[in-house]
Amino acid sequence: MIQKNVKILDCTFRDGGHLLNWRFKQATVDKVISTISKSGIDYFEIGYRSNKKLNRHQDIGQYALCTEDYLNEVKEVTGIKNITVMMDVGKAKKDDFIEKCNSSIDTVRVATYANDIDLAIEHVEDLHNKGYEVFINLMALSHIDKSRLVNILKKIDRVSDNIKAFYFADSFGSMFPNDVSNIVSVIKDNIDSEIGFHGHNNLQMAFPNALSAMESGVKYIDSTLYGQGRGAGNLPTEIICAYLNSFNGKNRFDLDCLINVIQDTFVGCSDKVDWGYSLESFIAGVTNSHPDRINKLKSDGVSLIDSFNILKK
């Protein structure tokens, strides 16, 4: 049964930043943040907090770094009250975060692959001790078997008091609703924490997977305005908000705000910046492959059908 207090985390600039190397026009930033602040959305993930020296992508914009000085400016101009950032384990150090009482950041999401879970837990403990609200986000869950997932969850459960929620990501857009519900069942059996879900839309399953997640007891759902994101993109914020408005029988989210900013800022962008459903994204999803793999095959002149046969092995 879907909880009425499901929280929406909009990550338009953080996840959508992959399309533009995290470079956005300031007018776009101001307009989107102002809209999100008035729309009723619970969390706004503005970008990554990363250490430029540790980031293999050197030509990156402000929203891949989210320095304190820059976030202070954004907060002053837009008046946003809750700023969330993501940190990728291995791309940021503990001393990249100051005490929360001196920071513009309210919430940090620690994103990790299975191999780095011990280091991720160290970051969780450090951030919690500094006063931040903390999520932990396990990426590429479709590449982790059940026994390994259980072992990871047991480790995370030891610090469950330090995290607001455990997130799992369908990083390659390869899951179907029954996969999501099965994973949530395993998580609930092994960790005493709220659960969050981040879906990608390679198989056009982001929305049905979000419904499956919520029906299974997930409390936090990720989305982006107009479904922006690398490849096939993500769950559109406006769709999940419309659904929750209908489900709750009240206007919890201001759809007028969302429609206006999408119309003024993002409609037509997909003609200039490539995201949305494609045969390439389908092949990546159905073969459970990272989008970089099919992009590399494509750049090498491999046909899509040959790419499919290579990746499905």
Side-chain angles (χ1 to χ4, degrees):
M1 183 176 183
I2 296 175
Q3 303 177 64
K4 289 193 174 183
N5 61 343
V6 169
K7 306 290 186 184
I8 298 300
L9 185 151
D10 181 277
C11 49
T12 298
F13 287 158
R14 198 275 303 167
D15 206 329
H18 286 277
L19 298 170
L20 296 170
N21 239 17
W22 298 277
R23 298 181 184 278
F24 296 95
K25 294 179 180 177
Q26 195 59 47
T28 299
V29 172
D30 295 346
K31 186 178 292 185
V32 170
I33 293 178
S34 175
T35 297
I36 294 293
S37 298
K38 296 182 293 186
S39 67
I41 289 168
D42 304 280
Y43 291 86
F44 181 62
E45 193 170 69
I46 196 169
Y48 288 96
R49 164 62 59 84
S50 61
N51 186 307
K52 192 164 187 177
K53 293 179 181 178
L54 299 177
N55 201 309
R56 65 187 177 92
H57 300 293
Q58 292 299 305
D59 182 27
I60 49 179
Q62 293 282 12
Y63 297 92
L65 301 171
C66 289
T67 64
E68 287 293 343
D69 287 345
Y70 192 69
L71 291 185
N72 286 337
E73 290 179 22
V74 170
K75 202 164 191 175
E76 186 174 334
V77 170
T78 64
I80 189 169
K81 292 184 172 59
N82 187 319
I83 291 180
T84 302
V85 299
M86 175 177 278
M87 67 149 289
D88 270 348
V89 172
K91 294 182 181 178
K93 299 183 292 187
K94 291 177 184 177
D95 60 11
D96 288 320
F97 291 87
I98 59 178
E99 297 289 326
K100 181 187 177 297
C101 60
N102 299 316
S103 175
S104 289
I105 297 168
D106 298 285
T107 303
V108 181
R109 182 151 55 153
V110 178
T112 183
Y113 289 106
N115 289 342
D116 296 320
I117 194 64
D118 293 326
L119 182 55
I121 288 171
E122 288 183 25
H123 280 291
V124 165
E125 292 178 309
D126 177 68
L127 290 162
H128 174 76
N129 290 336
K130 287 175 177 172
Y132 295 97
E133 181 179 77
V134 185
F135 296 128
I136 189 165
N137 184 83
L138 184 59
M139 299 183 286
L141 206 75
S142 56
H143 283 185
I144 303 172
D145 63 33
K146 182 178 177 180
S147 61
R148 191 178 189 197
L149 176 59
V150 168
N151 288 334
I152 290 169
L153 292 169
K154 286 179 178 177
K155 288 183 177 184
I156 294 172
D157 194 45
R158 296 178 198 138
V159 293
S160 61
D161 289 344
N162 296 347
I163 61 174
K164 188 73 174 178
F166 168 81
Y167 256 90
F168 70 99
D170 178 16
S171 299
F172 310 128
S174 61
M175 293 182 186
F176 291 101
N178 60 309
D179 299 315
V180 173
S181 59
N182 289 338
I183 288 168
V184 173
S185 178
V186 173
I187 295 170
K188 290 169 76 172
D189 285 343
N190 289 280
I191 190 170
D192 184 22
S193 173
E194 301 286 3
I195 305 170
F197 174 67
H198 178 95
H200 284 206
N201 217 13
N202 295 60
L203 303 178
Q204 300 293 279
M205 286 289 118
F207 181 59
N209 282 345
L211 296 187
S212 177
M214 292 186 294
E215 288 166 356
S216 301
V218 166
K219 186 175 180 180
Y220 295 85
I221 298 290
D222 280 11
S223 61
T224 60
L225 291 172
Y226 213 39
Q228 293 177 84
R230 180 167 55 180
N234 301 287
L235 169 66
T237 295
E238 59 277 12
I239 290 179
I240 191 65
C241 287
Y243 175 78
L244 289 174
N245 275 357
S246 172
F247 177 78
N248 288 323
K250 59 183 180 180
N251 292 323
R252 175 182 163 191
F253 301 103
D254 189 335
L255 297 184
D256 287 351
C257 273
L258 299 180
I259 292 169
N260 277 329
V261 78
I262 291 169
Q263 174 182 268
D264 293 346
T265 310
F266 298 121
V267 169
C269 284
S270 57
D271 296 334
K272 304 170 187 174
V273 183
D274 189 19
W275 89 84
Y277 180 76
S278 66
L279 191 54
E280 290 91 341
S281 66
F282 167 76
I283 291 170
V286 80
T287 61
N288 197 15
S289 301
H290 194 288
D292 285 351
R293 292 193 65 195
I294 193 162
N295 289 339
K296 176 65 166 59
L297 290 167
K298 185 177 179 181
S299 68
D300 290 342
V302 179
S303 71
L304 290 178
I305 185 60
D306 287 342
S307 295
F308 173 65
N309 286 320
I310 291 168
L311 294 173
K312 73 179 181 180
K313 293 178 181 177

